[in-house]
Amino acid sequence: MTAYGNFPGSRPRRLRTTPAMRRMVAETRLDPANLILPAFVREGIDAPVAISAMPGVHQHTLDTLRKAAVEAVSAGVSGIMLFGVPEDAKKDARGTAGTDPDGILQVALRAVREEVGDDLVVMSDLCLDEYTDHGHCGVLDADGRVDNDATLERYAEMAQVQADAGAHVVGPSGMMDGQVGVIRDALDQTGHEDVSVLAYTAKYSSAFYGPFREAVGSSLSGDRKTYQQDPANARESLRELALDLEEGADMVMVKPAGPYLDILARVADAVDVPVAAYQISGEYAMIEAAAEKGWIDRDKAVLESLTGIRRAGAQMILTYWATEVAQWLGRDAGRG
């Protein structure tokens, strides 16, 4: 090839020559501390129940949940987000099992705090969908629509009982208008000023939630498009963000993660509070299914997907691979 002066004078490939070189110049680093483990605990079972659409993920008993929490601590995971799965007979129109101090989620919160104390940030899903017989995230009005303001009253009750049970962080995920402010007030008025609110700020109405509905035994018929965000909209998420921050959110979240990296990047650029992203059940299931078919390298795909979420601006990532990936990262750090 004919050389023209110093052509090519700039050779970016020089910084990709060896694994050590690539590691040294990496712009994005994934650490166990970035990871949060979502976990399901089911009432009335004496052994874990496999979730068919999420290979490797189970509905826990209280005993196996305790073990999962200890394992997460040992791996260096920062937090655990708990979802309760009540017995079907305990579901009703108002989701009263969600505010029962002896409901499955509150029992699980106490069990995990008893097991790991403050070594793991214990988070609770604050939503009614697991506990309602209609499967929606709130109370229905006479026309069968979710009543925003009546639902807020229920969320205030949930915040109190979850905090009483030991939650360090509550995660309101129902996308009701005004939910963060109502929950913040409820916590402050009941002596729980130190309990943080992780706002599900941009939660989109997504096709990727399917496996999760099996995981929580959802009773939903219809959809949640009147309260979750439209996947076509981006500016709307920034409006939701401004409202959540004004109402007192300590941390904010984008959900799902992978299909909404553009939203995640815009949120991360706009705020000075910690930003989370939830790599949801459908994202997990797709990689596991493709890997099972031999179409992709599972472990590399898992790490690439998480690195992309981190690169887009997430400081915290909720992922069902949290403990496993944290163990990988710990081994790699040990070799270093």
Side-chain angles (χ1 to χ4, degrees):
M1 179 177 177
T2 302
Y4 297 94
N6 292 326
F7 174 82
S10 180
R11 293 182 181 267
R13 287 182 58 188
R14 293 182 184 126
L15 301 183
R16 306 171 193 154
T17 52
T18 68
M21 177 68 80
R22 294 191 293 273
R23 184 172 65 248
M24 183 177 73
V25 302
E27 299 173 23
T28 302
R29 300 191 188 279
L30 191 63
D31 187 88
N34 300 130
L35 305 177
I36 296 168
L37 177 68
F40 308 101
V41 57
R42 178 173 167 182
E43 191 171 26
I45 59 173
D46 55 15
V49 176
I51 300 167
S52 64
M54 301 175 68
V57 180
H58 297 79
Q59 294 171 326
H60 284 288
T61 68
L62 288 171
D63 286 342
T64 63
L65 179 65
R66 286 173 178 267
K67 292 175 183 176
V70 170
E71 187 179 23
V73 171
S74 297
V77 170
S78 282
I80 187 169
M81 174 68 80
L82 301 184
F83 296 85
V85 185
E87 295 174 333
D88 284 345
K90 294 185 179 179
K91 295 182 180 182
D92 60 26
R94 293 181 56 80
T96 52
T99 51
D100 180 352
D102 294 320
I104 183 59
L105 180 54
Q106 285 68 252
V107 171
L109 286 166
R110 289 193 290 269
V112 172
R113 281 299 304 274
E114 181 180 279
E115 192 69 36
V116 300
D118 294 333
D119 292 340
L120 198 62
V121 179
V122 180
M123 305 177 171
S124 56
D125 177 62
L126 199 163
C127 197
L128 287 169
D129 60 318
E130 296 99 321
Y131 310 101
T132 55
D133 53 14
H134 47 72
H136 278 286
C137 297
V139 179
L140 303 185
D141 63 19
D143 296 321
R145 291 172 54 88
V146 175
D147 184 325
N148 191 94
D149 296 359
T151 298
L152 294 183
E153 295 178 13
R154 300 287 294 125
Y155 285 3
E157 296 175 50
M158 292 189 81
Q160 180 178 344
V161 297
Q162 291 178 3
D164 286 345
H168 293 109
V169 177
V170 296
S173 59
M175 291 299 289
M176 297 296 120
D177 294 338
Q179 63 183 13
V180 171
V182 166
I183 288 166
R184 181 72 270 159
D185 285 348
L187 291 170
D188 292 348
Q189 291 172 15
T190 55
H192 295 298
E193 297 88 352
D194 290 339
V195 174
S196 300
V197 178
L198 169 57
Y200 283 59
T201 290
K203 183 179 180 181
Y204 282 86
S205 179
S206 173
F208 294 100
Y209 293 132
F212 179 88
R213 292 176 183 168
E214 177 191 346
V216 297
S218 174
S219 302
L220 180 68
S221 60
D223 59 50
R224 299 181 174 129
K225 292 183 179 180
T226 65
Y227 45 102
Q228 294 179 351
Q229 284 185 242
D230 186 338
N233 293 351
R235 290 192 303 271
E236 182 182 33
S237 64
L238 298 182
R239 183 183 183 195
E240 294 278 6
L241 175 64
L243 291 168
D244 283 350
L245 293 175
E246 182 181 345
E247 292 172 24
D250 299 289
M251 299 171 277
V252 296
M253 185 194 293
V254 174
K255 180 181 181 180
Y260 296 90
L261 294 180
D262 61 323
I263 305 301
L264 175 57
R266 290 176 71 166
V267 168
D269 286 345
V271 302
D272 58 3
V273 299
V275 176
Y278 197 145
Q279 185 181 53
I280 67 170
S281 59
E283 298 176 73
Y284 176 94
M286 287 192 300
I287 290 177
E288 290 287 349
E292 185 179 340
K293 289 284 190 180
W295 295 338
I296 60 173
D297 183 310
R298 174 188 181 271
D299 295 0
K300 290 180 179 177
V302 168
L303 284 173
E304 184 176 339
S305 68
L306 291 170
T307 300
I309 296 166
R310 181 82 176 96
R311 187 185 63 243
Q315 180 178 339
M316 304 167 291
I317 305 173
L318 286 84
T319 176
Y320 300 98
W321 290 301
T323 300
E324 182 180 8
V325 169
Q327 291 168 342
W328 298 347
L329 297 172
R331 288 196 294 267
D332 289 345
R335 285 198 293 269

